[in-house]
């Protein structure tokens, strides 16, 4: 069977080809009666606009790129929450999403821009000194970054205010009376790359701890149980008065709670724990964790909305920082007496 053309629709509806085009594109007002007749013919004939021809006519591909390089130290379940939000929001604007997961840096951006495959770009895993940033300022295609480089001038960026997220965790523990607190962050490789969200969280936590008169220790944390247990044990041995821990590492949240049990510390009676993570991670923990939400759905939605506004020539803010929200659950309380550290050599291990 031959492909139904726009001319076939026009003949069936008894109108000009240009009228069919205007009805389908919405570029001109057509009477309701004529529009209904055209759409009845479209349905009757099974007409589908040719995507390639439509792209040539509009100079749009109706595709955006999500640049999400899969690197060491990234927690895939949370990344997929961001990606899902970008995809579903893009569909609301009649756009599909090209997912770019190779760690190609500026070369990958040049390649996709030269191909004319996409109308714009959303970039994740933004570094403080991100090598992609200079090229983004030169490309004709508009872009939005989920994250902030050190120099965000001339860019459009959106993210959770991670510095404030770290700060309100420290403030919450200090307000309960904790005077020695620690942040266990992302794996070390994330800080070696200079990833913006991780560094800003540590900075906000340390600064707020000082402002509230608490000793605030911040260090990276790996993801396996043995590594997490070793990190928690080292913290408690080096700082016997430590009574509050913030975890900014979704893969390590459960391991931190397991390590504290192995080491003989009860949560929250002897150590209060706060997490920066999605709500489902905090709610599934035992006990349910006081947490700052990582609003992946909101950030992804905002990024696409900003990109679509730029595609239409609209004005958008350079910086969009979502305020952090602390939800208090059962894992934090005022500090109690600090017991001796259990002998982890004789304690049960976790597979």
């Amino acid at each position: 069977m031959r492909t139904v053309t726009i001319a076939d629709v026009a003949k069936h509806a008894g109108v000009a080809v240009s009228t069919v085009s205007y009805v389908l594109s919405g570029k001109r007002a057509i009477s309701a009666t004529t529009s209904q007749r055209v759409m009845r013919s479209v349905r009757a004939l099974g007409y589908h606009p040719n995507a390639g021809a439509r792209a040539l006519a509009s100079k749009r591909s109706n595709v955006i790129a999500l640049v999400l390089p899969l690197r060491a130290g990234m927690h895939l379940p949370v990344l997929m929450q961001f990606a899902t939000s970008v995809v579903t929001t893009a569909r609301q604007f009649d756009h599909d999403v090209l997912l770019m997961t190779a760690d190609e840096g500026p070369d990958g951006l040049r390649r996709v821009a030269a191909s004319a495959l996409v109308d714009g770009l959303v970039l994740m895993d933004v570094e403080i000194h991100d090598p992609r940033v200079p090229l983004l300022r030169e490309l004709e295609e508009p872009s939005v970054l989920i994250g902030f480089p050190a120099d965000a001038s001339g860019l459009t960026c959106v993210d959770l205010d991670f510095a404030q997220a770290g700060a309100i965790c420290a403030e919450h523990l200090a307000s309960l009376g904790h005077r020695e607190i620690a942040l266990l962050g992302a794996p070390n490789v994330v800080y070696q790359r200079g990833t913006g969200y991780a560094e800003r969280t540590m900075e906000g936590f340390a600064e707020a701890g000082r402002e509230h008169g608490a000793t605030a220790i911040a260090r990276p944390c790996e993801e396996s149980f043995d590594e997490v247990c070793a990190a928690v044990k080292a913290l408690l041995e080096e700082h016997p008065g430590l009574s509050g821990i913030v975890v900014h590492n979704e893969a390590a949240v459960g391991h931190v709670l397991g390590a504290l049990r192995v080491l003989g510390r009860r949560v929250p009676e002897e150590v209060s724990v706060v997490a920066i993570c999605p709500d489902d991670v905090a709610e599934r923990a035992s006990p349910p964790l006081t947490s700052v939400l990582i609003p992946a759905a909101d950030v992804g939605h905002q990024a696409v909305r900003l990109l679509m506004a730029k595609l239409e020539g609209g004005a958008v803010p350079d910086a969009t920082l979502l305020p952090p929200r602390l939800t208090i659950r059962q894992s934090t309380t005022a500090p109690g007496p600090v017991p001796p550290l259990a002998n982890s050599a004789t304690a049960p291990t976790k597979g």
Side-chain angles (χ1 to χ4, degrees), residues 60 62 93 95 119 142 305-316:
R60 291 277 185 89
N62 276 40
F93 290 91
H95 276 64
D119 299 326
R305 185 186 64 80
L306 290 166
L307 184 60
M308 294 302 158
K310 294 180 75 171
L311 280 169
E312 297 302 324
V316 299

Side-chain angles (χ1 to χ4, degrees), residues 135-337:
L135 179 61
L136 289 176
R137 295 191 178 102
E138 300 172 5
L139 292 178
E140 291 184 6
E141 289 80 4
S143 61
V144 174
L145 287 78
I146 296 179
F148 284 77
D151 179 9
S153 60
L155 303 171
T156 304
C157 304
V158 58
D159 208 354
L160 174 68
D161 188 341
F162 278 99
Q164 185 60 23
I168 65 173
C169 292
E171 290 166 2
H172 172 65
L173 292 173
S175 71
L176 292 172
H178 297 273
R179 288 295 169 260
E180 289 191 60
I181 58 178
L183 170 68
L184 290 174
N188 192 52
V189 66
V190 174
Y191 298 97
Q192 290 174 348
R193 287 198 300 266
T195 307
Y197 76 86
E199 294 203 2
R200 290 190 173 91
T201 304
M202 273 197 173
E203 291 167 0
F205 172 81
E207 183 175 345
R210 289 192 298 269
E211 290 176 355
H212 288 80
T215 299
I217 307 103
R219 59 183 59 174
C221 181
E222 303 307 319
E223 297 179 335
S224 74
F225 178 75
D226 288 344
E227 289 169 315
V228 172
C229 195
V232 173
K233 183 172 184 290
L235 271 177
L236 296 177
E237 287 177 341
E238 295 166 16
H239 304 276
L242 185 75
S243 59
I245 295 176
V246 177
V247 186
H248 185 202
N249 182 330
E250 295 86 358
V253 168
H255 294 334
V256 169
L257 294 174
L260 288 169
R261 286 192 290 269
V262 166
L263 296 168
R265 294 291 172 90
R266 294 176 297 156
V267 177
E269 294 86 352
E270 294 157 351
V271 177
S272 287
V273 178
V274 182
I276 302 174
C277 65
D279 277 342
D280 63 321
V281 175
E283 291 165 354
R284 286 199 309 264
S286 180
L289 295 173
T290 295
S291 69
V292 171
L293 171 68
I294 294 181
D298 288 346
V299 172
H301 175 79
Q302 289 276 15
V304 175
R305 185 186 64 80
L306 290 166
L307 184 60
M308 294 302 158
K310 294 180 75 171
L311 280 169
E312 297 302 324
V316 299
D318 293 338
T320 302
L321 278 173
L322 278 62
R325 171 174 62 83
L326 178 75
T327 300
I328 299 175
R329 297 188 179 91
Q330 299 170 27
S331 65
T332 53
T333 190

Side-chain angles (χ1 to χ4, degrees), residues 47-90:
Y47 172 70
H48 299 283
N50 182 277
R54 184 171 57 186
L56 286 172
S58 65
K59 297 183 180 178
R60 291 277 185 89
S61 66
N62 276 40
V63 177
I64 62 173
L66 174 59
V67 185
L68 176 54
L70 297 182
R71 299 164 169 166
M74 301 175 76
H75 190 55
L76 194 59
V78 175
L79 293 179
M80 288 303 100
Q81 291 185 20
F82 283 97
T84 299
S85 178
V86 168
V87 170
T88 55
T89 306

